[in-house]
Amino acid sequence: MKYSKFYNDSIDNPERFWQSQANNLAWYKTPSTILSKDQHNYDQWFEDGELNLSYLCIDKHIEDGFGNQNAIIYDSPVTNTKEHITFNTLHEEVSKLAGGLQNLGLSKGDTVIIYMPMIPQALYAMLACARIGVIHSVVFGGFAPHELAIRIDDCKPKLIITASNGIEIDKIIPYKPFVDEAIVKANHKPEKVIVFDRKLGVNIQHKNYDVGYSALVEKSPSIEAIPMPSTHPSYILYTSGTTGTPKGIVRDTGGYATALKFSMKYIYGVDEGDTFWAASDVGWVVGHSFIAYGPLLNRNTTILFEGKPIKTPDASTFWRVISEHNVKAMFTAPTAIRAIKKEDPDGALLKKYDLSCLKYQFLAGERCDVATLNWTEEQLKVPIIDHWWQTESGWPMISNMVGVDLKPVKPGSASLPVCGYNIQILNEEGEEVENSVEGYVAIKLPLPPGTLSNLWENPERFKMGYLNRFPGYYFSGDGGYKDEDGYVFITGRVDDIINVAGHRLSTAEMEEIVSSHKAVAECAVFGVHCEIKGQKPLGLIVLKSEKISETNVIQKEIIQDVRREIGAVASFRDVHIVKRLPKTRSGKILRKLLRNIADEHQYNIPSTIDDASIIDEIKSTYQTQKIGIHK
Ligand code: COA
Ligand code: AMP
């Protein structure tokens, strides 16, 4: 099948195109209304359809005779465990946990937070919620109690599901204590906390609200999946915005299932029964779409990997997993490849494994630099597919659609728009620009099925953040350009969001924490280039008084504050003292200028700058402190 015909069909006749894709799912009630408007006058898909994600991911395959196929392979080098979980076993675990949730009084429309490491029970919890229409919100384990508390107050869960602990390379991460701390901090108090004890010798301090996971599952009845309207929210997933408050992306059910089934076949090029591996975390959108729901919907075996690309135990782990579990397509972030390349530059460890099962290597989460793309291609000798998407979209927006026809790879580009995404590059005035001209990456409405349906209980922020900037378009927040063949090159965020090791973080949020330190008069936090993580946050602070001594104590306290409030995942390790910050005459700090100087990108000194002599001061600080390209 030719990509251009397939793509054009999706843009010219979206309703016909997506109705036909939706027919690949087993609906309880097949939709007859394909595209309509919701109460906020925003597009929604398959309004009158009814289905259940948990049924489609589990029961359907058992009914089709695949109960003994592996649904999940849990591979955990940090605990030295491997577990093969069939669809039959998955059914038992999920349907009983769903029964347990029902016994605890949960029903359709209630919310639950899942704060768990990469263990099978995290997937069971997601699927058990989906089985009875409970809306889950998975929070990434690298976030601190404060961040968890913000999410508790926003989505007001009736219950939290957690585990005793996680394991990061060689340290124990206290999940349950973090939940207890978050509940103390939050205004909303969940009724119960279900705790899965990993039995790793970690002592759990029990509270009155605790319910033991294993005992609950043991005594609960198995229950059937309940039909859900297509527009019913399947989950809320928080992501960084340009303010200190994260945005709760709401995902529907029917559009999402349609988009994921479509993605597995046409983007990732895998057939039912194949093994697929996304080396991410259930706390991110990749985990939702391509560890949990996508592969399971498509009857793929999904790999649940609890480890890191390096040090668990070494830089050969990824290759071992691919080879041992017969992975056909794999997905990771370029940062993981850079970490492996640093430890094993010649690929000596990789050569120890038979990787002939691997057909495609996908990369996303951040811009893929050409050196990383080339190295991966040389080592793996399969197509390396960079593809672009966001928490908001839920599935890829720009990709080489290898299941349709493999197009030539152009280093630096995520390739061509995926079916359903009418991607345009706009200027400040919202006009489409010529090829090769950089602008704002926007998508003409309607977005295809599976993309965000709103922000949780905040339709105004949804409109302000995504729809108002360019009427008739969804604004992605990224900049980029197209070449003469229609390939899109993403150049990076145009706002205060940074991407650290594939993790999306808000510098505005970090600034709020840094500026609340008692010694800080003002500050700027922005992302600078990092060889492994792509970007890392850097803080520049101006002290309230030049007479303040023990500046290294202040620096350490600020680093600790950010770690305590946001979490280790912020990777905030550099804060430097400067005498002043460059500002416009109206007092706005010129963060982009600070970043460009650090990374030695081309920059113009804005004509509105208050005092241009400050640039030399900043440059000399960068040199003496070995910041950015000076390190
Ligand atoms: N739970 C608790 N803590 C976590 C965590 C989790 N799930 N994930 C990360 N952290 C902690 C780490 O332990 C580390 O803590 P430290 O400061 O005490 O060392 C901190 O957060 C930063 O972690 P990370 O960003 O993972 O950096 P690293 O230096 O430990 O590892 C890489 C570097 C490149 C190996 C790692 O970032 C990586 O594997 N990246 C790929 C990420 C990815 O797949 N993203 C996909 C999103 S699509
Ligand atoms: P997240 O919502 O965490 O998935 O982060 C989405 C952001 O990551 C996007 O808006 C981009 O800025 C960046 N991103 C993701 N994939 C790519 C890619 N393939 N190329 C460039 N940037 C990417």
Side-chain angles (χ1 to χ4, degrees), residues 360-376:
Y360 307 107
Q361 174 67 58
F362 287 86
L363 298 175
E366 55 171 326
R367 215 182 82 78
C368 180
D369 54 287
V370 176
T372 301
L373 186 94
N374 289 344
W375 185 85
T376 319

Side-chain angles (χ1 to χ4, degrees), residues 67-94:
N68 288 326
Q69 184 194 309
N70 286 328
I72 302 170
I73 298 177
Y74 167 55
D75 189 309
S76 168
V78 293
T79 55
N80 218 1
T81 313
K82 284 174 207 165
E83 208 178 315
H84 290 69
I85 299 151
T86 63
F87 281 107
N88 283 332
T89 308
L90 184 60
H91 180 267
E92 192 175 331
E93 294 284 351
V94 170

